[in-house]
Amino acid sequence: MGVLDGKVALITGAASGIGLATSQLFASEGAQVAMFDRNADLVNETAREIGASALAISGDVTDEADVEAMVASCVERFGRLDIGFNNAGIAGAAAIHDHELTHFQHVIDVCLTGVFLCLKHQSRQLVAQGEGGSLINTASINATQATKGLGAYCSAKAGVAMLTKVSALELGEHGIRVNAVGPGHTKTPMTERARDVEGFDEAMIGATPLERLGEPSDIAQMVLYLGSDASPWVSGQLFYVDGGITVNELPPGFNMLESSLRRPRGD
Ligand SMILES: NC(=O)c1ccc[n+]([C@@H]2O[C@H](COP(=O)([O-])OP(=O)(O)OC[C@H]3O[C@@H](n4cnc5c(N)ncnc54)[C@H](O)[C@@H]3O)[C@@H](O)[C@H]2O)c1
């Protein structure tokens, strides 16, 4: 028996990283999973590995026709929709004074407008079914944590956090819950380049109370909780899954326990 027995989930950015780990976990918990990604070869391959409970759909979250067709294909194959995980995203860094408009707009299109289009077409289906549902969006710790060079990404993720709240407000009367997950630095292909920078991992780990980077499965476990019936009264929230790094608001390296507090009283 799985906690998602009988449920149908639709996951974007499903061919890689967090979306793939979530697809695998959901399938292992009994869900039928429609996996959507712009990387057609990879989503076909990864869905095939999961087996008959997975359906691969290729397309782009920034294209409304693709997103509408994505929901239709899921319903055609599995008969309904219960859970949407709107997770496709891209990063890419540039300083404000150097940022190309086209690049800024592309990040906003994928990370924010793509989530809007998914929420729009998934919620239409859920409202029509009339049995509620759970929609989960991937934000980031960058929804509230500014990072140099990530003007577009941070703005998009802050937008996802607010869109999550507005959607929860509007869709609650239909029994539809909407939440966001905010990963910290997680080991996926998206973060490979940053991890190649010397000292980057060490600095991240040093600022993280749980002293390691995230695994895609760490994030998937939170999405499972939010998607399942274990969270029936949870809506409109952003949940950080980040090893505690957002608690650390002081400069990395600042550690009172290792300086003045460790000295015996009276010194
Ligand atoms: N990895 C991290 O540290 C981290 C931290 C915070 C938030 N996130 C967010 O998690 C989500 C997943 O990222 P990941 O780390 O698993 O990255 P990833 O690169 O491994 O996976 C992202 C997937 O999204 C797909 N995708 C990208 N643009 C698309 C589009 N326009 N239409 C359809 N599919 C598209 C890619 O093909 C890829 O398979 C993203 O929204 C990302 O911003 C990641």
Side-chain angles (χ1 to χ4, degrees):
M1 279 273 291
V3 300
L4 297 182
D5 279 349
K7 303 261 193 211
V8 175
L10 176 49
I11 298 179
T12 72
S16 171
I18 292 166
L20 176 58
T22 306
S23 301
Q24 291 165 334
L25 180 63
F26 274 30
S28 75
E29 288 293 345
Q32 291 175 299
V33 187
M35 297 169 66
F36 182 85
D37 204 285
R38 71 173 172 190
N39 187 333
D41 289 346
L42 197 55
V43 78
N44 280 317
E45 183 188 322
T46 50
R48 204 175 320 115
E49 280 166 15
I50 290 177
S53 57
L55 167 70
I57 310 168
S58 60
D60 191 320
V61 290
T62 67
D63 183 327
E64 182 158 15
D66 280 4
V67 173
E68 196 170 2
M70 163 187 91
V71 175
S73 303
C74 172
V75 174
E76 188 183 64
R77 166 74 174 266
F78 296 128
R80 56 182 293 111
L81 176 67
D82 299 289
I83 305 163
F85 180 35
N86 304 317
N87 165 74
I90 53 167
I96 294 287
H97 61 278
D98 260 347
H99 215 143
E100 293 293 339
L101 175 62
T102 49
H103 178 258
F104 188 92
Q105 285 173 330
H106 185 53
V107 173
I108 299 285
D109 278 353
V110 176
C111 292
L112 178 57
T113 312
V115 170
F116 156 68
L117 290 174
C118 291
L119 288 171
K120 174 179 171 180
H121 290 283
Q122 291 162 351
S123 63
R124 274 191 183 170
Q125 175 64 28
L126 294 180
V127 169
Q129 287 175 190
E131 295 172 35
S134 175
L135 302 176
I136 304 125
N137 304 318
T138 301
S140 166
I141 57 172
N142 283 127
T144 51
Q145 172 67 55
T147 298
K148 280 183 180 176
L150 293 185
Y153 185 79
C154 292
S155 304
K157 295 300 186 179
V160 168
M162 182 50 79
L163 193 55
T164 299
K165 290 188 193 189
V166 175
S167 308
L169 204 55
E170 291 184 8
L171 295 169
E173 67 183 275
H174 300 284
I176 300 167
R177 302 183 294 107
V178 190
N179 291 286
V181 64
H185 197 77
T186 306
K187 288 190 262 174
T188 70
M190 178 184 278
T191 52
E192 245 161 34
R193 268 184 38 213
R195 293 202 307 281
D196 283 345
V197 175
E198 208 187 314
F200 185 87
D201 278 8
E202 291 70 18
M204 277 291 174
I205 292 166
T208 302
L210 288 176
E211 297 184 333
R212 67 170 174 85
L213 301 179
E215 299 291 341
S217 58
D218 292 319
I219 318 303
Q221 289 292 346
M222 175 58 86
V223 184
L224 176 64
Y225 167 71
L226 294 171
S228 76
D229 293 338
S231 55
W233 210 45
V234 180
S235 197
Q237 305 305 309
L238 165 58
F239 294 91
Y240 294 121
V241 183
D242 65 353
I245 198 169
T246 39
V247 173
N248 191 0
E249 288 182 354
L250 292 168
F254 180 90
N255 190 336
M256 288 290 277
L257 289 178
E258 284 176 3
S259 52
S260 57
L261 285 184
R262 192 166 275 180
R263 269 185 251 130
R265 279 186 196 177
D267 266 19

